[in-house]
Amino acid sequence: MRKEFLSYNPPSIGDEERSEVMDTLRTPWVTTGPKTKAFEAALQDYLQAPSVVALNSCTAGLHVALVALGVGPGDEVIVPAMTFCATANVVEHVGAKPVLVDVCPDTLTISPEAVAAAITPRTKVILPVHYAGHPVQMDELDALAERHGIAILEDAAHAISTRYKGQLVGSRKNLAAFSFYATKNLTTVEGGCLTGEPALVEKSRIIGHHGMNRDAWKRFDRSGSWYYEVVLPGFKYNMTDMQAAIGLVQLKRLERFQKRRREVVARYEAGFKDLAALELPVERDWAHSSWHLYVLRLRAGALRIDRNAFIDGLKERNIGTSVHYLPVHMHPFYRDKYGYKPADCPVAADAYERMLSLPLHAELTDADVDDVIQAVRELVQSNLA
Ligand SMILES: *Cc1c(COP(=O)(O)O)cnc(C)c1O
């Protein structure tokens, strides 16, 4: 058994990130300034995005996107049940109603059939999530959005480097929000960005910066002027140069991170594929996943222990795991406000009971991965029903 506890997703921050942060602290610009501009340009280049605004979180990006799209009271936004709470919380922030729908059994991404069934005359936005880094079925969602005249806003928190039919998530005209939180594939500690067509992104930038119609940082250099006007009561969601300094280094390292993630996933796949008690994550043939998460499911009835006992067993063997996610419709706030039952999104509710996320990050060695495989195999083989 392994001696040291293996945590499931620590950030990969090295000397280069640390020295960029120190370098930033020696310049007059510590908050939004030239490094944030450079990071936006680098992201735009990497994502092949029409335009980019860097923000202090993905949640902020989703929030300003909904404001920019004019979503408010009386409107409905379709959100998958299998996601992090922020995807639905932002809909509440603008006074609209999140309509929670079920996910596909294999990828756990939003079900286009469930979206079609949930559309009403009040639907303003479909808010799909590229869950675990696997792309959603964009063609089907596009067809629905076009037929009903509704917008798409992508929650791309897991999806840096994800491709749908060869196209990078973030390269489309509609708004997409990425996260650079500490656990994500690329981190700025806290941070995020919004991509999309320039008019919508610039509107979002203003909404995320007090509603001021000029970049604040330009006011303080020689090219700028002291003058600005507030065009709406905006929010304070700007990224800082301290964060962007880390992001610039992380973006250079991203391809190596992603290569290592795919190697780890291949090793897990080879280590588990003969175990009938496990349902392994899939990558459909039209998909290129960023592999943000490696989500295993225990097959119903195959083991004498449940998911919680399985997690405890791994912890005893010094393997850290997590669960992504308790479905949104089962959180007390959403359950009580809208009267949801678990069975309203049966695929998400069932997956939740059986799922756990194994360690997946760029710092894992082959020996670490083999420790995880050995611990999982022992637990399965000693607990067969
Ligand atoms: C992490 C995450 C978010 C929120 O990202 P922040 O940058 O922490 O605001 C939103 N949606 C999903 C699916 C996430 O995993």
Side-chain angles (χ1 to χ4, degrees):
M1 193 187 96
R2 72 172 282 125
K3 295 214 174 58
E4 268 171 48
F5 187 73
L6 182 66
S7 106
Y8 94 92
N9 65 349
S12 303
I13 291 174
D15 286 340
E16 214 187 330
E17 282 90 342
R18 286 186 276 272
S19 76
E20 277 295 321
V21 170
M22 286 310 291
D23 177 63
T24 309
L25 283 170
R26 292 187 192 98
T27 72
W29 285 108
V30 287
T31 185
T32 316
K35 287 197 181 174
T36 305
K37 289 290 146 193
F39 186 43
E40 285 178 347
L43 282 168
Q44 184 170 0
D45 185 52
Y46 175 80
L47 295 169
Q48 296 162 29
S51 65
V52 180
V53 56
L55 296 163
N56 64 4
S57 72
C58 174
T59 308
L62 293 169
H63 185 193
V64 294
L66 291 174
V67 175
L69 293 168
V71 179
D75 296 333
E76 294 176 355
V77 177
I78 299 177
V79 174
M82 184 53 76
T83 186
F84 183 58
C85 60
T87 322
N89 287 350
V90 291
V91 180
E92 295 285 336
H93 294 166
V94 298
K97 178 185 177 183
V99 175
L100 302 170
V101 302
D102 212 355
V103 292
C104 301
D106 57 348
T107 61
L108 301 180
T109 57
I110 197 164
S111 153
E113 294 75 37
V115 173
I119 290 173
T120 75
R122 293 177 297 283
T123 307
K124 279 280 160 57
V125 176
I126 304 171
L127 210 177
V129 177
H130 303 289
Y131 173 84
H134 194 287
V136 300
Q137 288 163 267
M138 239 38 241
D139 287 347
E140 288 82 348
L141 298 181
D142 279 342
L144 288 169
E146 202 165 315
R147 182 166 345 129
H148 298 277
I150 51 193
I152 290 180
L153 163 62
E154 295 166 72
D155 180 335
H158 300 177
I160 195 157
S161 88
T162 294
R163 287 173 187 268
Y164 171 74
K165 298 188 176 173
Q167 189 184 13
L168 272 168
V169 169
S171 63
R172 290 161 52 99
K173 278 199 268 184
N174 64 255
L175 294 171
F178 291 83
S179 175
F180 309 132
Y181 180 64
T183 59
K184 301 303 199 295
N185 291 32
L186 179 157
T187 187
T188 59
V189 182
E190 295 276 359
C193 77
L194 199 55
T195 61
E197 60 172 323
L200 268 176
V201 167
E202 285 318 305
K203 191 173 174 189
S204 302
R205 184 193 298 281
I206 290 169
I207 296 165
H209 200 237
H210 303 295
M212 284 161 47
N213 65 356
R214 257 163 225 244
D215 286 356
W217 73 280
K218 278 194 198 147
R219 287 188 285 124
F220 301 110
D221 77 6
R222 276 173 64 90
S223 70
S225 136
W226 55 269
Y227 188 75
Y228 65 86
E229 292 169 345
V230 168
V231 293
L232 52 84
F235 303 93
K236 183 60 164 57
Y237 285 163
N238 54 300
M239 177 175 278
T240 69
D241 272 21
M242 298 283 288
Q243 294 164 299
I246 301 171
L248 281 163
V249 178
Q250 289 267 300
L251 199 51
K252 281 195 287 180
R253 298 174 65 200
L254 184 63
E255 284 311 302
R256 262 174 295 153
F257 291 165
Q258 289 304 124
K259 182 168 171 282
R260 184 58 192 154
R261 279 179 184 269
R262 296 191 79 84
E263 287 166 2
V264 171
V265 168
R267 208 170 178 92
Y268 279 151
E269 171 85 24
F272 300 142
K273 65 174 193 287
D274 62 313
L275 299 177
L278 301 181
E279 191 177 339
L280 308 186
V282 299
E283 187 176 40
R284 291 210 193 161
D285 52 13
W286 42 262
H288 178 90
S289 178
S290 69
W291 288 106
H292 172 56
L293 302 172
Y294 190 89
V295 179
L296 268 186
R297 277 178 275 177
L298 309 180
R299 284 201 197 276
L303 299 176
R304 282 183 278 115
I305 56 171
D306 66 7
R307 185 272 316 274
N308 291 349
F310 202 92
I311 285 178
D312 291 344
L314 287 176
K315 197 183 219 170
E316 281 161 19
R317 289 165 175 78
N318 272 334
I319 308 296
T321 58
S322 191
V323 172
H324 300 88
Y325 298 92
L326 174 65
V328 178
H329 72 297
M330 294 166 69
H331 280 289
F333 174 81
Y334 293 97
R335 180 193 65 203
D336 298 345
K337 180 166 180 180
Y338 299 107
Y340 284 115
K341 304 269 179 299
D344 289 335
C345 299
V347 176
D350 168 67
Y352 165 67
E353 296 293 336
R354 303 190 287 114
M355 66 171 30
L356 65 151
S357 303
L358 295 186
L360 180 55
H361 56 87
E363 306 290 324
L364 288 171
T365 64
D366 284 353
D368 293 333
V369 179
D370 291 345
D371 288 343
V372 178
I373 292 171
Q374 195 195 340
V376 167
R377 293 189 67 89
E378 264 174 37
L379 266 173
V380 167
Q381 280 156 354
S382 58
N383 289 287
L384 288 171

